[in-house]
Amino acid sequence: MAATCRIVSLRYSSVSKSRLFVSQMTNHYIKNSSLKQHYKFMSNDNLLDTKITSSDTAESLLHIVQENKLSGNQASLSLTKMTQLLNVTRVDHFTRDQSFQKLCTQIAREKYNISTESLVLSLINVCRIQTEPFSPLILILEPECRRRLRAMQIRHLIFLIANHSVLLAIKSDSVNKLVKEAAAVLEFRLKDVFEVKNLTQLLMHSSAVSQSLPKQLQNHMISLMDYFSFTDLTQFCKSMLAGHFPTGILLRTMSIKMAASTEEWTVEKILDVLKCFSGMGFNNRNLMIAFSSFLQTEIKNRSLTDVLDIAQVYSSLRVASTELFAEVEKYVGKKIESVTFRDLRSILHAFFVLRYVASDEFAEAVTNQLLSEWLNLKPYLQLELTWCMMGLDILPLFLLEKVLRLNTDDFNPVLATKHQHLINYAGTETSTTDLSHLKSAVNKDVKLRPLQESVKIVLENVVGEKNLSTNVLTPIGHSIEFQLLLDSQRRPIDVQSDEHKVHTRLAILVHGPTSYLYASERFVGPVVLRRKQLKAAGYKLTEVGYREWNAMQSEDEKKQFIRKKLENVSKYQISIQT
């Protein structure tokens, strides 16, 4: 009996196990079937995505849209691809196509199901085309973007900010508010932004969408400074220049980091940084000295293009480095026969601005090269080259005589002015004693800079508005900020007075930062030339520098300063208003 029970129990247990096995096999078969179907759908979706992204014409993409049933994400991808393929003239044609309406309908229908990336891209692309039929879709997508805003990934927030110009162009209050809210959310989550590509985008665009975000970004990046490479800092400089990001403590901190990253320096990277500094009007003396020491050891192995870039960027930054430019001179001197005259003009102009004193051997090589091709040069190049040589005091008399015989009828005002400078240099049409033939003109189109405007206000209070001329174009080709006409009693007279009453012309020159070599009291070459030729033409000079002017706080202090300046001109006292 017991054996029978065991047999029955074994029989039933085996049956139950077999039933369980069959059930498991069935479930496994069903699961495999569903997975296969799922993967089949996925492969089809991936294949369709690939077709969309690989389309190289708008027509082929429209054909794909017409022949296939697209998901919301695929519709968004198609819209993105279409905006890349279409030019401006074909946008209207595309928006009237039924395929476009199909894309918009599908995106709107699946607005809750499409990915955040597709949602953001759809909104941006709709705004990019900026046509009236898109307005309903914008009204659908914008609220959904706002709903997801706080849960968005950092890259989506940055993408909204990076495309602010497109979004704001449609002039929709709700979209404008969305961009500002994206900036506010990103500011709150800024500690999570540490990738260089994201920081680069923020440096380029944050100033345009928020007032507080740039300051927070600056502090955030300073805290991460130890982790950045020299290459990263170079990219940051380019983005700051492109986005007009405010320079200040961030750029100074970056300069310190750059100076400490000498093992990563290359000529190309340094030139990129210096060009950005020039564009942003920023300079750092210690870094520039370190860069010049590195560059002067590398110049002999570089191309002429690199050497030209080095000379031009140091000239634009007004940083005089005798050792560096000595190497530039050696390099150009050895290759003088292969240097084009345009490039030679750039080199000479850099020397002129920085007041670099070229050697006699270099001056002779330049003169010989210029003479050998003089007849083949266009007049403007002949003039430009000799003008630079004049500024460097290496212009021989026979070349000066040649350039003075040039026909100036076709010269633009800038070239005509330089030709007049050469005439002054030759002393052929100006006199240091008789000024009766000189007639000045006032250029009313030039807007005064803040420093000049501040000086003008004080000057008018001291000498009287009717006695002061502003933005004067002198007959000798130089402009002066302010001019006073003095009679034989050394008293200011009305600017409308007859020329025979004018005994002395007093030029009041105002010098801003660009008038000086960087971190120096020495003037740049063109300012030296202006002062020299104005004096030679008989002008009395008095000058106001930006450092001394900005150091004075009160108006009374500035008035007293101007009075003393005027009284000290040529050791005689001018009768001025009190």
Side-chain angles (χ1 to χ4, degrees), residues 178-273:
L178 174 66
V179 174
K180 292 181 179 179
E181 288 182 5
V185 172
L186 189 57
E187 185 176 345
F188 179 75
R189 297 171 57 188
L190 202 55
K191 65 181 184 299
D192 298 327
V193 183
F194 48 82
E195 292 186 9
V196 171
K197 63 179 181 180
N198 289 336
L199 293 170
T200 300
Q201 289 292 317
L202 286 179
L203 285 172
M204 193 179 301
H205 300 288
S206 61
S207 298
V209 298
S210 172
Q211 294 182 347
S212 57
L213 181 56
K215 185 175 181 180
Q216 297 299 324
L217 177 61
Q218 174 179 269
N219 296 334
H220 175 62
M221 291 186 65
I222 290 173
S223 68
L224 298 174
M225 196 59 63
D226 291 340
Y227 302 98
F228 297 139
S229 66
F230 191 85
T231 302
D232 297 337
L233 298 176
T234 303
Q235 293 181 22
F236 294 156
C237 284
K238 292 179 180 178
S239 296
M240 293 175 73
L241 175 61
H244 305 288
F245 192 87
T247 59
I249 189 172
L250 175 59
L251 209 49
R252 291 194 294 271
T253 307
M254 288 168 57
S255 299
I256 296 172
K257 175 66 176 178
M258 288 177 184
S261 306
T262 54
E263 67 281 356
E264 300 180 59
W265 287 1
T266 65
V267 173
E268 290 79 10
K269 291 178 183 177
I270 288 175
L271 282 174
D272 285 342
V273 170

Side-chain angles (χ1 to χ4, degrees), residues 302-328:
R302 307 305 302 183
S303 66
L304 178 61
T305 302
D306 289 339
V307 176
L308 287 171
D309 286 343
I310 290 170
Q312 289 174 346
V313 75
Y314 269 78
S315 171
S316 65
L317 290 167
R318 310 183 320 282
V319 176
S321 174
T322 305
E323 295 80 6
L324 175 61
F325 275 82
E327 294 298 323
V328 172

Side-chain angles (χ1 to χ4, degrees), residues 311-489:
Q312 289 174 346
V313 75
Y314 269 78
S315 171
S316 65
L317 290 167
R318 310 183 320 282
V319 176
S321 174
T322 305
E323 295 80 6
L324 175 61
F325 275 82
E327 294 298 323
V328 172
E329 180 190 328
K330 290 179 184 178
Y331 184 96
V332 176
K334 290 179 181 178
K335 300 190 176 185
I336 191 70
E337 294 183 357
S338 61
V339 179
T340 67
F341 285 103
R342 290 177 184 271
D343 293 341
L344 185 58
R345 175 187 59 181
S346 299
I347 292 292
L348 293 177
H349 186 266
F351 286 177
F352 176 35
V353 170
L354 299 179
R355 299 175 62 181
Y356 174 76
V357 181
S359 65
D360 294 340
E361 292 80 6
F362 180 79
E364 184 179 357
V366 170
T367 301
N368 292 337
Q369 186 67 12
L370 190 54
L371 279 174
S372 66
E373 297 290 334
W374 182 264
L375 296 178
N376 298 326
L377 289 178
K378 293 184 178 180
Y380 83 91
L381 262 181
Q382 294 174 341
L383 177 62
E384 291 274 12
L385 287 163
T386 50
W387 184 81
C388 290
M389 293 175 73
M390 172 196 67
L392 293 170
D393 285 331
I394 61 172
L395 179 61
L397 183 59
F398 58 87
L399 272 184
L400 177 61
E401 292 173 350
K402 285 178 177 291
V403 79
L404 290 180
R405 290 195 293 268
L406 291 176
N407 184 357
T408 62
D409 293 342
D410 296 331
F411 283 175
N412 61 35
V414 174
L415 292 176
T417 297
K418 290 183 177 180
H419 190 263
Q420 180 63 50
H421 295 170
L422 287 160
I423 293 174
N424 303 338
Y425 184 74
T428 56
E429 289 193 7
T430 59
S431 171
T432 58
T433 54
D434 182 14
L435 297 176
S436 59
H437 65 288
L438 295 180
K439 294 182 180 180
S440 301
V442 176
N443 189 347
K444 298 180 180 180
D445 297 330
V446 178
K447 185 178 180 180
L448 292 178
R449 296 177 180 176
L451 174 64
Q452 297 169 341
E453 192 67 50
S454 175
V455 174
K456 179 186 177 183
I457 293 172
V458 177
L459 275 170
E460 289 177 343
N461 289 332
V462 173
V463 301
E465 182 177 355
K466 66 178 182 178
N467 297 327
L468 186 69
S469 298
T470 304
N471 286 328
V472 178
L473 300 176
T474 67
I476 60 171
H478 292 286
S479 62
I480 55 180
E481 288 75 27
F482 306 105
Q483 176 180 267
L484 284 178
L485 303 179
L486 308 178
D487 62 15
S488 58
Q489 302 299 317

Side-chain angles (χ1 to χ4, degrees), residues 5 24 66 68 90 105 149 186 204 224 291 309 326 397 409 550 562-563:
C5 289
Q24 289 177 344
Q66 292 167 357
N68 295 275
R90 298 183 60 192
T105 302
L149 202 57
L186 189 57
M204 193 179 301
L224 298 174
F291 279 168
D309 286 343
L397 183 59
D409 293 342
N550 292 338
I562 289 295
R563 290 192 183 99

